[in-house]
Amino acid sequence: MRRLRQQREWSQEELAAYSGIHHTQISRIERMQNSVGIDMIEKLAMAFGVSVGELLD
């Protein structure tokens, strides 16, 4: 997720705005301090414009 965000030159706040997930949650996910449910995975994939499978690869 961090790699995709950085490739797009998005801040965590921008990804939060695009995905509807709070920026502190984005930070925790990137630092692997939080587990991620399928609903969040789907929101992130939609924000990046990729499939869930691509996001998880």
Side-chain angles (χ1 to χ4, degrees):
M1 185 177 92
R2 179 180 291 154
R3 180 179 47 81
L4 286 173
R5 181 178 61 77
Q6 290 174 338
Q7 285 176 347
R8 287 163 174 74
E9 298 181 355
W10 293 350
S11 66
Q12 289 180 346
E13 290 79 11
E14 287 172 308
L15 177 55
Y18 299 142
S19 66
I21 299 170
H22 197 273
H23 68 91
T24 58
Q25 187 77 347
I26 298 289
S27 175
R28 287 186 200 130
I29 294 168
E30 286 189 355
R31 290 180 286 141
M32 300 175 71
Q33 293 180 334
N34 245 13
S35 59
V36 182
I38 189 66
D39 57 328
M40 277 195 203
I41 292 171
E42 289 174 340
K43 287 180 182 181
L44 290 165
M46 286 179 52
F48 284 121
V50 299
S51 70
V52 169
E54 288 173 297
L55 181 64
L56 296 177
D57 275 344

